[in-house]
Amino acid sequence: MNFSYLGREAFRDLLHEAVLHGSVLLEGPRGVGKTTVLQQLEAHPPDGSTVLRFDLQGVESATQLRDRMAKHATLARNRLEGVFAQLLGNWEPKDPWESLERLLVRAPGRCIVLFDEVQLYLDHLARSDRERARRELVQLDALRRSSTAKFVLTGSVSLVPIARSLGEVISPDWRRLPLPGLEPAPAKAMFHHLCDAICGEPVLTEAIRVTAGYPRWIERLAAETRCPAGREATLEDLEAGIDRLLTSNPFVLELRHVQRSSDAAILDRALRLAAVPGTNRNAMITSLQQAGSSRQQAIEVLLTLRETFFLDDHDALALPLFQRALQRQS
Amino acid sequence: MLDPFTPWQEDPDQLEARTVGRSEPAAWLTAACDAYLDGGSPSWCLVTGARGAGKSHLLQLVRHRITDPAAVTWIGEDTPVEPDAARLWQRLQGAPSRWGWRPEPESTRTRRLLFVEGFDRLLAALKPIERWSLRHELAESGYFLVASAVSPSIATGQDDAFFGQFDTWSIGGLDLEQAEALFIAVSAEDVQAEPGVLKRRKALVHLAGGSPRAIVTLGNAVRNCRPDEVGTAEGLLQAIQTLVTHYQQRFHDLPALGQQILVALAEAPRQLTATEVKDITGSTSAHVSAIARVLEAAGTLVRTPDVRDKRVAHYALAEPMFRYWLEYRTTPSWEQTRVSWFARLLAEVLSPEQVLNVWWSSPPGVAREAVESTHHPVQLFLRAMAGLREDPSNASAIVDRVLELKGHDAWMVTLLAARLVDMGLDASVDDLCKRVPASPILSACVDFLNSLQTGDSRSVFVRLLREHGHHHSSSALGWALLRRVPREQQTWERFTPDEASDVIPIPFLRIGLLEAPWPGKPPLLQWEAIAEFDLEGAPDVQALVALATRHGDAAIFRRGCDELQRRLDDPKYSAGTQGFFLECPDPACPAPDSDSLAGLLWARESNACEGHMSWLASCASMTEKNFGSLLQRFQRREFLYDFPMFREANVTALLALALRDRERFQTLASCQPESPSIRQAIHTLEQLDERANGPLQPELELVWQAVAPPERR
């Protein structure tokens, strides 16, 4: 059983409905369960639909993406009734996006294509060739108009700030679906099930608060929370578990993403300001200006952090566990 | 005059008119205030920025812009601090003083805005617990607080009472375009002013950096002083003194490392890299980088990436004026450095010529000494000579100035004497002679002037040339003395061969003596006396060549041309002052009627150089480059000798060329549009062109007859 999908039936229905009517940007921070949602969609497609899921991590070009899709199609010969496999020989290598379209137009029934980790693909391109990354983004944005398939794009960074950094704008035609953390009840159930220790309500509540209901962090914290046999875990045991988890430097990917940004220094400063207890938007904007940024820069940095899911709508750190990690570093 | 320190005293319209580059923070603050007055609950607002950045200006601007200005209680910058929150709160509310005075009229409004300048200063006097009390009072009162502070630190400390309470806008310096706009608004100069004013404006804006207060102060300096360079110099001194407190406060506001960085940059002769700053200050790279970023945001420092390696940044002072202030305030041996300090300051703003005029127009003292550090004594001497022409009655003071020049040379004294003689200022010549007792040539000069009374001036003149002919300026003095000979005494016998042998080696003077020194009188030297003279190295060889054409002396003409040709290959001449004589006369383009020209030039107080000029004018095939060099040479000479004859000769020579080859003249003239000689020649040419419409003025008619081609006369 996939626990991270617990309690997300309503979201699944919402996604099904949305994807039947148009293309979707499924947004959420790392560890919130986007990939699991896609896997579930792939495993239980809407009636009459064929779902193809592709992870763009490690993909370096549209041609490679197309080839990966072709390979997938070959492997899924039976499910796709061999249509893709018949078409492989006719692809035009010079225009992977067009050949992708031609591939999809021959697909039986309604086709839903899921692209996971889109931001990694664009980020990889942008590091060597910004213009190429921009062109690919335009192609991805144009997928929403495809008459042959519906698309779901996901990534742990919203496409909106990526597009802005490349000088482009994502079309408002995309349906943006933010994926929240698990509801408290299924989240507690998941922690309870995964944790070897016996946990009472206070521990469960604190665990879910710290992890904000993100399945990945629930799973990892549950694995680190221990207590001697014969007694119930206490909040101190949970704290010890959090310490063990943070010692393994679990947010290295998030911090690396910040460090790769052109505004790395100011983003990093803003994150550390956000980790200060009692801070608020005013304090962060003021402090960033004190450190030499203009007000406009400070506001843009907070917006970027919101769009990359570090901050919530109130400009507080969305994941308390991440806040703890930053405080430990400071 | 705008007060750069108290904008709240300014008329609102004027305040609006000179607001530059603050539209965004003003709109933000106005919107917040209006939102509060409309019943909203925005965050309190804090405007931060370095001293003089325009915080008070911004607050005052918003006070006039909001929908209900009367709702504002204004707490000025110099409100006394209180150690007690309750007393401070009482004061902020505008409680009546002991004498019944209250800063703002009492109001029964329920929504009031509290504008507090220097809020950080008021908070600094309170203990932390008192700050919490003050925050509580403010929050309870329902006032909308709009504060200004130098640093946002009052709202960034995690444990501070006002942490996170302010929506902040940190205003930095103005960029160059905005700074110039502000300067224009303050100085009331024309946007499209003449080039000199534009240059001065750019220099002053550069000096001020982006600091609005410094810009306003310098704009005032220009606006309130005479609209010339002297006024600018006086204004600059006042501006520095006005800004002493401003820079001092800003300096003291900086953290220790910030002060060290600024001093390092002020003392360095160039921009410094972060590594150099780190080494000088003995700090760490990270610390230097962090403080530099703060200084940059405050508009105190400019950081520019290296053109070759963008990882390397160069630091420089954003406000060069700071450097002058620091030197002004910290130099221990100020009396010794004061002069060069002011000279450098002037040189930043004014052109060298303008600095020279400042010196000339100022009383002896600072300016005179200052200008000596930027000008060679020769330049100062030449300016003094020009001053003598401007005001002959001031001759005595000019003699003083020349003799006070550091390194004044004997030739300067002789040239000054020549000029005094030429202007008939005999008393000043006597005075000069007494002031320089060790100068025999001056004594001989006085003897000659005395001899004019006794009638034996010729023998005294010959003796003077014999004994002092080797003197560098004997030619100028000799010529001036000749011009003083009364008409009735202009009956000198021609120089004997023995006398001629003493006179012939004196360049330029010999040209005049070979010509007629006095109108209608025979030459004092026979042309034959020059026949055996060695022309090698003669500075007046061009004039001798021109003279040879008049005398039909092919031998001298050829020798002169050979000498000029030789100089073509001689680096000493091609690179030196004779370098412009790169072409020999063009046989296809012969000299104009030099007799007519000489007569004309003489009539117009010219001298022997007319031959020189007419020869030059015949060089119609001269290249633009050489022509430019020639004009520069002319201008130097005009300045050097300060005799009108040079200018007249230049103009006439140019005119001759223009009449003979208009197209060629226009080509050459277009290369040197700024030359006064060319401008005058063009003007005269335009007047001559009017000849077809009627008779010319007598003087112009004479020019026409002298220089126009025969077929057009």
Side-chain angles (χ1 to χ4, degrees):
Chain A
M1 180 180 181
N2 193 331
F3 292 99
S4 64
Y5 203 66
L6 273 177
R8 282 186 163 153
E9 292 77 8
F11 185 82
R12 181 193 60 197
D13 295 341
L14 182 66
L15 180 60
H16 278 203
E17 185 193 344
V19 83
L20 290 176
H21 291 93
S23 291
V24 173
L25 294 180
L26 178 61
E27 298 179 330
R30 198 168 74 93
V32 80
K34 299 182 298 299
T35 302
T36 305
V37 167
L38 294 188
Q39 286 169 344
Q40 291 293 323
L41 185 63
E42 187 182 20
H44 306 287
D47 291 340
S49 302
T50 301
V51 174
L52 299 170
R53 185 173 67 85
F54 300 100
D55 188 345
L56 300 199
Q57 183 164 13
V59 174
E60 296 180 355
S61 66
T63 306
Q64 201 176 3
L65 169 63
R66 181 204 59 196
D67 292 347
R68 189 172 287 198
M69 292 178 72
K71 187 178 178 185
H72 181 102
T74 307
L75 292 175
R77 178 187 297 269
N78 294 334
R79 188 148 47 92
L80 295 176
E81 299 173 352
V83 175
F84 284 4
Q86 293 170 18
L87 289 169
L88 288 179
N90 297 329
W91 283 11
E92 297 170 15
K94 287 185 180 175
D95 189 354
W97 291 102
E98 187 183 340
S99 53
L100 176 62
E101 185 73 18
R102 289 178 59 186
L103 171 70
L104 293 172
V105 80
R106 304 296 295 272
R110 194 167 43 228
C111 195
I112 299 172
V113 181
L114 314 179
F115 285 154
D116 199 2
E117 304 293 6
V118 175
Q119 93 283 359
L120 292 180
Y121 173 53
L122 292 173
D123 189 47
H124 174 82
L125 293 180
R127 265 182 280 163
S128 58
D129 186 349
R130 277 178 58 83
E131 175 54 27
R132 189 165 157 227
R134 191 193 65 76
R135 286 199 306 269
E136 292 299 286
L137 177 76
V138 171
Q139 291 286 1
L140 283 168
D141 188 41
L143 291 177
R144 74 188 188 280
R145 291 196 299 263
S146 170
S147 57
T148 57
K150 303 300 178 192
F151 287 82
V152 178
L153 309 187
T154 74
S156 55
V157 175
S158 166
L159 279 185
V160 175
I162 294 176
R164 191 167 56 237
S165 71
L166 294 173
E168 288 291 335
V169 178
I170 286 293
S171 166
D173 294 345
W174 289 92
R175 173 89 182 270
R176 293 177 70 176
L177 282 184
L179 179 62
L182 295 177
E183 291 296 317
K188 285 176 186 173
M190 181 180 177
F191 189 86
H192 181 73
H193 186 85
L194 295 176
C195 184
D196 292 337
I198 302 166
C199 300
E201 184 61 23
V203 170
L204 290 175
T205 303
E206 177 62 9
I208 301 315
R209 187 194 71 77
V210 168
T211 57
Y214 292 9
R216 175 175 301 165
W217 302 116
I218 291 174
E219 185 180 350
R220 293 191 62 174
L221 182 57
E224 297 289 352
T225 303
R226 302 157 201 158
C227 78
R231 73 165 173 84
E232 194 172 292
T234 62
L235 286 174
E236 286 74 24
D237 294 327
L238 182 68
E239 278 300 315
I242 292 172
D243 267 350
R244 276 191 291 275
L245 175 56
L246 295 182
T247 304
S248 66
N249 200 13
F251 294 103
V252 63
L253 284 180
E254 279 82 353
L255 293 174
R256 192 177 295 161
H257 170 76
V258 168
Q259 286 158 3
R260 277 209 303 264
S261 163
S262 57
D263 297 325
I266 186 170
L267 280 170
D268 185 68
R269 180 177 290 274
L271 274 182
R272 291 179 196 287
L273 287 170
V276 173
T279 196
N280 61 14
R281 176 183 168 82
N282 280 344
M284 283 193 283
I285 290 178
T286 304
S287 297
L288 288 173
Q289 290 183 80
Q290 186 185 24
S293 303
S294 70
R295 180 183 163 85
Q296 188 59 32
Q297 281 175 320
I299 289 172
E300 282 173 6
V301 160
L302 295 192
L303 178 64
T304 300
L305 289 178
R306 270 206 303 276
E307 289 170 340
T308 47
F309 312 116
F310 284 110
L311 300 182
D312 61 19
D313 291 342
H314 306 290
D315 288 324
L317 279 173
L319 182 60
L321 197 62
F322 185 46
Q323 183 179 23
R324 295 280 290 273
L326 291 171
Q327 285 171 353
R328 273 170 67 101
Q329 286 188 354
S330 299
Chain B
M1 174 178 172
L2 299 179
D3 184 342
F5 293 93
T6 44
W8 58 88
Q9 302 286 12
E10 217 169 313
D11 178 67
D13 292 338
Q14 182 173 295
L15 203 66
E16 284 279 358
R18 72 173 180 93
T19 298
V20 171
R22 298 291 185 237
S23 56
E24 288 185 355
W28 158 76
L29 199 49
T30 308
C33 292
D34 283 342
Y36 168 78
L37 290 173
D38 287 345
S41 53
S43 294
W44 291 337
C45 292
L46 177 67
V47 178
T48 65
R51 292 179 194 278
K55 302 181 294 296
S56 299
H57 179 112
L58 182 62
L59 260 58
Q60 188 65 10
L61 193 72
V62 170
R63 183 190 193 181
H64 294 301
R65 283 187 182 180
I66 59 177
T67 53
D68 185 8
V72 172
T73 297
W74 182 274
I75 306 298
E77 190 164 14
D78 296 323
T79 300
V81 296
E82 295 280 1
D84 180 80
R87 287 172 61 87
L88 177 61
W89 175 234
Q90 217 175 12
R91 187 181 289 281
L92 293 183
Q93 289 181 96
S97 71
R98 181 177 299 175
W99 314 109
W101 177 83
R102 71 173 60 244
E104 294 290 331
E106 193 172 17
S107 169
T108 55
R109 293 165 196 273
T110 53
R111 297 186 86 79
R112 291 199 59 84
L113 300 120
L114 190 60
F115 279 40
V116 185
E117 286 190 293
F119 192 57
D120 49 346
R121 191 179 63 89
L122 297 179
L123 284 191
L126 298 177
K127 291 178 181 173
I129 187 68
E130 297 291 331
R131 294 181 197 171
W132 282 98
S133 299
L134 179 65
R135 175 183 155 182
H136 175 74
E137 294 286 1
L138 279 163
E140 288 295 308
S141 70
Y143 272 82
F144 183 65
L145 177 61
V146 176
S148 72
V150 169
S151 161
S153 58
I154 56 170
T156 56
Q158 189 181 345
D159 300 323
D160 198 277
F162 287 87
F163 177 63
Q165 296 302 302
F166 285 111
D167 191 5
T168 309
W169 197 305
S170 200
I171 56 175
L174 302 176
D175 62 31
L176 268 183
E177 192 177 334
Q178 293 167 340
E180 190 165 345
L182 176 57
F183 187 88
I184 290 170
V186 176
S187 65
E189 288 180 352
D190 288 338
V191 176
Q192 297 295 334
E194 59 185 85
V197 174
L198 284 178
K199 178 188 172 296
R200 183 183 67 180
R201 180 190 303 161
K202 287 198 180 304
L204 287 171
V205 168
H206 169 71
L207 259 186
S211 166
R213 178 171 291 161
I215 294 165
V216 169
T217 306
L218 291 176
N220 278 334
V222 174
R223 181 179 189 155
N224 298 314
C225 292
R226 293 195 308 278
D228 58 10
E229 53 271 20
V230 179
T232 305
E234 291 167 351
L236 269 178
L237 264 184
Q238 284 180 5
I240 286 278
Q241 286 155 359
T242 306
L243 288 171
V244 162
T245 318
H246 163 74
Y247 284 118
Q248 188 177 44
Q249 285 180 327
R250 287 182 60 187
F251 192 61
H252 292 177
D253 288 339
L254 297 175
L257 182 57
Q259 294 184 11
Q260 291 168 22
I261 291 174
L262 283 199
V263 170
L265 294 176
E267 290 175 349
R270 56 175 171 80
Q271 294 186 341
L272 297 178
T273 64
T275 309
E276 288 170 331
V277 172
K278 172 184 78 86
D279 293 342
I280 292 171
T281 57
S283 184
T284 63
S285 295
H287 201 185
V288 166
S289 180
I291 296 294
R293 192 175 173 82
V294 174
L295 295 178
E296 189 183 7
T300 314
L301 176 146
V302 175
R303 183 169 46 173
T304 47
D306 190 280
V307 287
R308 284 167 295 184
D309 185 355
K310 290 189 175 174
R311 290 170 301 177
V312 177
H314 294 277
Y315 295 147
L317 287 177
E319 300 169 43
M321 191 81 124
F322 178 85
R323 178 177 288 119
Y324 291 102
W325 167 80
L326 190 70
E327 204 173 327
Y328 181 63
R329 297 286 290 177
T330 59
T331 304
S333 53
W334 179 243
E335 278 306 309
Q336 282 75 44
T337 56
R338 177 172 56 95
V339 171
S340 63
W341 175 85
F342 188 52
R344 280 189 286 115
L345 179 59
L346 285 184
E348 289 252 19
V349 178
L350 303 176
S351 67
E353 290 74 21
Q354 289 174 322
V355 173
L356 199 62
N357 285 341
V358 171
W359 163 69
W360 182 250
S361 308
S362 306
V366 172
R368 181 185 64 77
E369 295 172 356
V371 83
E372 280 185 347
S373 66
T374 55
H375 285 73
H376 193 277
V378 174
Q379 294 171 296
L380 304 184
F381 169 73
L382 297 176
R383 182 63 188 88
M385 297 292 279
L388 186 60
R389 183 183 61 187
E390 291 162 7
D391 184 9
S393 65
N394 201 27
S396 174
I398 289 167
V399 167
D400 286 344
R401 287 214 171 192
V402 170
L403 295 181
E404 281 173 7
L405 288 177
K406 281 183 188 170
H408 75 263
D409 208 347
W411 70 265
M412 291 187 191
V413 176
T414 312
L415 271 185
L416 175 60
R419 187 67 182 136
L420 292 170
V421 167
D422 196 53
M423 297 176 76
L425 301 170
D426 293 358
S428 295
V429 177
D430 273 339
D431 182 37
L432 182 62
C433 186
K434 288 173 189 160
R435 301 277 300 276
V436 192
S439 173
I441 193 171
L442 287 187
S443 303
C445 172
V446 172
D447 289 347
F448 177 84
L449 292 175
N450 292 334
S451 71
L452 294 177
Q453 310 298 324
T454 58
D456 60 343
S457 54
R458 183 184 182 283
S459 60
V460 177
F461 184 76
V462 170
R463 191 167 64 245
L464 185 148
L465 295 183
R466 179 173 294 143
E467 293 174 1
H468 306 291
H470 61 280
H471 195 284
H472 186 276
S473 303
S474 59
S475 172
L477 184 60
W479 191 251
L481 293 175
L482 272 182
R483 287 162 60 86
R484 289 296 306 279
V485 176
R487 185 174 290 274
E488 63 274 14
Q489 292 185 25
Q490 292 174 358
T491 54
W492 290 5
E493 293 174 9
R494 185 169 285 178
F495 289 154
T496 65
D498 188 34
E499 291 169 333
S501 65
D502 293 325
V503 176
I504 282 294
I506 304 175
F508 295 110
L509 182 63
R510 62 191 168 212
I511 303 295
L513 298 175
L514 287 166
E515 296 271 11
W518 301 304
K521 307 294 180 185
L524 293 177
L525 276 179
Q526 282 187 303
W527 176 251
E528 288 70 24
I530 203 76
E532 300 300 323
F533 185 69
D534 184 4
L535 298 181
E536 184 176 348
D540 54 352
V541 66
Q542 304 85 6
L544 286 168
V545 169
L547 214 51
T549 61
R550 288 180 54 196
H551 287 271
D553 188 335
I556 291 287
F557 183 87
R558 196 168 298 111
R559 281 171 54 203
C561 288
D562 288 346
E563 170 65 10
L564 288 169
Q565 189 65 41
R566 185 184 68 78
R567 292 180 187 182
L568 285 178
D569 304 321
D570 188 340
K572 174 182 151 193
Y573 289 98
S574 59
T577 55
Q578 307 289 327
F580 55 86
F581 299 120
L582 294 181
E583 295 181 37
C584 286
D586 183 352
C589 193
D593 183 350
S594 53
D595 282 334
S596 305
L597 191 57
L600 169 73
L601 292 171
W602 176 254
R604 304 190 73 182
E605 295 192 327
S606 189
N607 77 340
C609 284
E610 78 276 14
H612 175 184
M613 300 303 170
S614 60
W615 180 83
L616 289 171
S618 73
C619 298
S621 59
M622 189 180 288
T623 65
E624 284 82 353
K625 182 181 172 190
N626 291 340
F627 185 68
S629 304
L630 171 66
L631 284 178
Q632 286 174 15
R633 170 78 170 171
F634 282 175
Q635 285 161 25
R636 281 204 299 272
R637 294 175 70 91
E638 283 169 13
F639 204 23
L640 180 67
Y641 296 106
D642 191 34
F643 290 150
M645 60 191 181
F646 276 88
R647 187 186 299 274
E648 299 300 330
N650 293 349
V651 172
T652 312
L654 289 164
L655 207 53
L657 174 61
L659 290 169
R660 289 167 52 240
D661 189 342
R662 177 72 68 96
E663 191 178 339
R664 183 66 189 156
F665 169 76
Q666 284 173 341
T667 304
L668 295 174
S670 65
C671 305
Q672 302 289 328
E674 297 301 320
S675 163
S677 300
I678 285 201
R679 282 205 301 270
Q680 196 176 336
I682 291 174
H683 178 65
T684 310
L685 197 59
E686 288 168 352
Q687 290 179 311
L688 288 175
D689 285 343
E690 293 297 313
R691 194 170 187 276
N693 299 327
L696 293 170
Q697 297 288 335
E699 187 185 38
L700 287 176
E701 185 61 36
L702 185 58
V703 172
W704 177 262
Q705 292 301 329
V707 298
E711 67 276 12
R712 294 185 60 194
R713 286 184 199 157

